[in-house]
């Protein structure tokens, strides 16, 4: 509540400055700088969602700026549209192009995605420069119609107030969006895409949303420039513009306030250096290197760290509730006990001459703890990846709760009620423990995109309910006191448990645990046995991959053994302990059963 009040007090001060500031000067140059700060903020605010939060690299947003600018120019100057309607249309058309650019985002990432966006920016620049009949070529389009207040044309002050109003609305909407389920989803995709998919977040949908948001704000920025100048030409649309927008985001930082800080500093610097154009690019490059070295999280994070040192109260978290209700699985997720939940037949996967999964059949029954064991290289994790949709088998069928899931996306499988952890931890390390678990609750939260964007009551209520349930899950695993700690800063064993908490938040019918005891000390391993038993008692079926044989034999109802990609045995733990094929697989020779039991029942086998 204190942070909420501080935000609104700060916003009121900003509004007062915006109202009063333009009235303190008649200098058109100064008013133009204020206007450009607003335009640059608009372009960078959406780009910050794409780059700073979702981690998608874009160097072609000058092309989206051009889409907005030329849309409003063509519609008003050539077709006589109302300038306000044309302005809104510029955002819509830019959104369509943003969705178009997002199409390759599922297949390429990092530098390759940056090259795609560069290509779009270059194509856009060439099209408007060469297509004279539509876009006026290099001569551009004159007579772009600006908006009016009634019958009054906007003067320099009015333009500052108009862009400022748009900036405030944009800030409030993006703040609401980024502080909710979509903000966590953006950061989850940025950190670990497969982990985000595994809890039911559609990575591709999130990327498309981020691209569209960045396109809309950039399109509006372009439309404002065209209408304020009443002219647009290809001279406005350069690769340097894309670099400048990106620099604002990187320099300002990924905080919701970062684009504002970056826009203010770099717009002022840009105008100061305009008299020395030969040093502009050098200065920008040096500034970017300095920012990345001295302020890797941007100016906003650097200023916050200083503020926290001066006012420690800014870093305080809400008090944890004194008592938490017991966490329970959703009633509609519970299934009748001891019936087939997952049935796989003839699963086969080959990588060249290596066959980690070779015609494997298995059946997992509800309410049981199943364990998948075998020597290193037996194909256990590959099989787990196939079952969870991470890897598609070359042949074979998988039916989960009556649904064929072969070829289904990872998030599609997760939405059916299959959750998992990973052999190599895939936490969202820069998020708090609480937010990691709330990402797991993503698909269960009622609020949709528009509700979150506009900060509706439904969105607020969903956040409160998600926080309460996430704390219940953490309490179930003995982690409530870690709720506000950064996940990546915790000890390894605690991180393992946080990953289980995130998986439980999806309300799974089947939980796949890939070596959950790896790296745990004996005490933590004993605690893990109790955790798995309590998860089973909730009505969740468990499939466990584990090398700690004492854990496997203590907790399992049913054990499946793989060797060189083939299932060589299955049955109750006691049957597996004395199975000659299992003994041979673990020892490499058929020695005496008593010797084999030392391995199969002994603590750990790597």
């Amino acid at each position: 509540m204190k942070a909420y009040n501080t935000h609104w007090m700060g916003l009121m001060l900003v509004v007062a400055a915006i109202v009063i500031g333009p009235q303190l000067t008649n200098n058109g140059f100064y008013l133009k700088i204020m206007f450009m700060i607003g335009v640059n903020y608009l372009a960078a605010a959406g780009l910050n969602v794409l780059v700073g939060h979702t981690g998608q690299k874009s160097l072609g947003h000058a092309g989206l700026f051009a889409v907005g600018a030329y849309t409003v120019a063509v519609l008003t100057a050539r077709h006589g549209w109302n300038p306000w309607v044309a302005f809104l249309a510029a955002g819509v058309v830019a959104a369509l192009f943003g969705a178009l650019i997002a199409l390759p985002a599922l297949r390429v990432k990092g530098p390759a995605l940056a090259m795609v966006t560069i290509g779009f920016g270059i194509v856009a620049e060439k099209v408007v420069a060469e297509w004279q009949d539509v876009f006026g070529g290099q001569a551009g389009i004159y007579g772009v119609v600006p908006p009016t207040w009634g019958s009054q044309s906007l003067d320099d002050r009015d333009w500052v107030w108009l862009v400022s109003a748009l900036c405030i609305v944009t800030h409030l909407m993006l703040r609401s969006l980024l502080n909710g389920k979509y903000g966590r989803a953006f950061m989850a995709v940025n950190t670990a895409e497969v982990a985000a998919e595994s809890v039911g977040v559609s990575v591709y949908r999130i990327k498309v949303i981020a691209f569209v948001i960045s396109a809309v704000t950039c399109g509006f920025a372009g439309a404002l420039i065209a209408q304020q100048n009443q002219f647009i030409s290809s001279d406005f649309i350069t690769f340097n513009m894309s670099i400048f927008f990106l620099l604002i985001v990187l320099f300002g930082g990924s905080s919701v306030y970062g684009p504002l800080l970056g826009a203010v500093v770099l717009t002022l610097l840009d105008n100061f250096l305009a008299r020395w154009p030969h040093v502009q690019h050098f200065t920008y490059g040096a500034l970017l290197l300095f920012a990345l070295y001295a302020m890797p999280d941007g100016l906003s994070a650097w200023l916050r760290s200083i503020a926290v040192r001066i006012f420690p109260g800014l870093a305080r978290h809400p008090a944890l509730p004194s008592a938490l209700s017991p966490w329970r699985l959703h009633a509609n997720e519970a299934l009748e006990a001891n019936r087939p939940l997952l049935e796989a037949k003839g699963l086969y996967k080959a990588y060249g001459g290596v066959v980690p999964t070779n015609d494997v059949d298995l059946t997992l029954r509800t309410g049981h703890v199943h364990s998948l064991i075998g020597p290193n290289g037996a194909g256990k994790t590959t099989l787990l990846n196939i079952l969870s949709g991470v890897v598609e088998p070359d042949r074979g069928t998988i039916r989960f709760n009556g649904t064929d899931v072969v070829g289904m996306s990872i998030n599609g499988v997760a939405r059916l009620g299959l959750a998992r952890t990973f052999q190599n931890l895939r936490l969202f390390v820069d998020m708090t423990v609480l937010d990691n678990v709330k990402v797991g609750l993503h698909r269960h939260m009622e609020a949709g995109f528009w509700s979150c964007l506009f900060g509706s009551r439904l969105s607020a209520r969903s956040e409160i309910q998600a926080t309460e349930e996430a704390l219940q899950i953490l309490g179930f695993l003995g982690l409530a006191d870690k709720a506000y700690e950064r996940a990546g800063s915790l000890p390894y064993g605690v991180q393992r448990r946080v990953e289980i908490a995130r998986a439980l938040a999806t309300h799974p019918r089947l939980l796949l645990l890939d070596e959950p005891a790896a790296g745990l000390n004996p005490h933590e391993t004993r605690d893990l046995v109790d955790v798995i038993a309590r998860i089973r008692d909730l009505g969740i079926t468990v499939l466990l991959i584990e090398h700690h044989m004492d854990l496997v034999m203590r907790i399992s109802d049913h054990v499946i053994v793989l060797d060189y990609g083939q299932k060589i045995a299955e049955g109750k733990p006691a049957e597996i302990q004395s199975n000659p094929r299992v003994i041979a697989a673990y020892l490499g020779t058929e020695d005496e059963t008593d010797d084999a039991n030392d391995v199969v029942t002994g603590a750990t086998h790597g």
Side-chain angles (χ1 to χ4, degrees), residues 95-270:
L96 294 175
F97 275 89
L100 182 65
I101 300 173
L103 291 177
L106 188 62
R107 297 184 178 274
V108 297
K109 57 186 70 176
L113 179 59
M115 294 302 294
V116 170
T117 60
I118 289 174
F120 170 76
I122 292 173
V123 169
E125 181 182 350
K126 293 300 180 183
V127 166
V128 299
E130 302 295 335
W131 200 349
Q132 295 189 15
D133 292 342
V134 177
F135 302 111
Q138 294 183 344
I141 299 177
Y142 288 88
V144 180
V145 182
T148 57
W149 296 117
S151 58
Q152 294 290 322
S153 298
L154 301 184
D155 60 20
D156 289 342
R157 287 195 184 91
D158 294 331
W159 280 108
V160 174
W161 287 328
L162 173 61
V163 74
S164 297
L166 290 171
C167 288
I168 290 171
V169 171
T170 299
H171 166 78
L172 292 175
M173 293 170 71
L174 291 183
R175 181 178 183 271
S176 175
L177 187 71
L178 294 175
N179 284 343
K181 61 183 281 190
Y182 283 91
R184 290 189 295 272
F186 292 139
M187 292 301 294
V189 170
N190 188 354
T191 306
E193 291 187 10
V194 173
E197 287 269 351
S198 75
V199 293
V201 175
S202 172
V203 168
Y204 188 51
R205 181 169 182 265
I206 291 300
K207 287 181 179 180
V208 170
I209 289 173
F211 267 102
V212 169
I213 290 172
S214 69
V216 169
T217 63
C218 210
F220 281 147
L224 284 171
I225 287 294
Q227 290 184 311
Q228 203 264 352
N229 289 312
Q230 300 181 41
F231 165 71
I232 191 68
S233 76
S234 59
D235 291 340
F236 286 81
I237 318 303
T238 66
F239 180 65
N240 290 339
M241 174 181 283
S242 295
I243 296 294
F244 186 70
F245 291 156
L246 183 61
L247 182 59
I248 290 175
V249 171
L250 296 178
F251 181 77
S254 61
S255 162
V256 71
Y257 303 101
L260 176 60
L261 293 171
V264 170
V265 173
L266 292 178
T267 303
L268 293 175
L269 183 64
D270 185 60

Side-chain angles (χ1 to χ4, degrees), residues 398-421:
I398 306 171
R399 293 191 67 79
F400 176 63
N401 199 32
T403 301
D404 185 359
V405 297
V406 172
M408 189 177 289
S409 66
I410 305 171
N411 79 82
V413 175
R415 287 172 180 270
L416 290 176
L418 189 152
R420 65 166 299 176
T421 64

Side-chain angles (χ1 to χ4, degrees), residues 45-56:
L47 186 59
N48 183 43
V49 174
L50 179 67
V51 176
H53 287 262
T54 316
Q56 304 303 295

Side-chain angles (χ1 to χ4, degrees), residues 426-481:
R426 295 193 182 184
L427 286 177
F428 310 128
V429 292
D430 291 324
M431 297 167 64
T432 65
V433 169
L434 182 65
D435 280 342
N436 266 266
V437 179
K438 287 169 77 173
V439 173
L441 291 166
H442 180 88
R443 73 182 182 93
H444 296 289
M445 296 179 67
E446 294 180 76
F449 173 77
W450 296 107
S451 180
C452 292
L453 184 66
F454 291 108
S456 71
R457 291 183 178 178
L458 174 61
S459 173
R461 186 171 69 247
S462 292
E463 278 298 308
I464 293 171
Q465 292 172 347
T467 299
E468 182 179 349
E469 183 172 1
L471 289 171
Q472 289 174 357
I473 295 170
L474 291 174
F476 175 78
L477 294 174
L479 295 171
D481 60 326

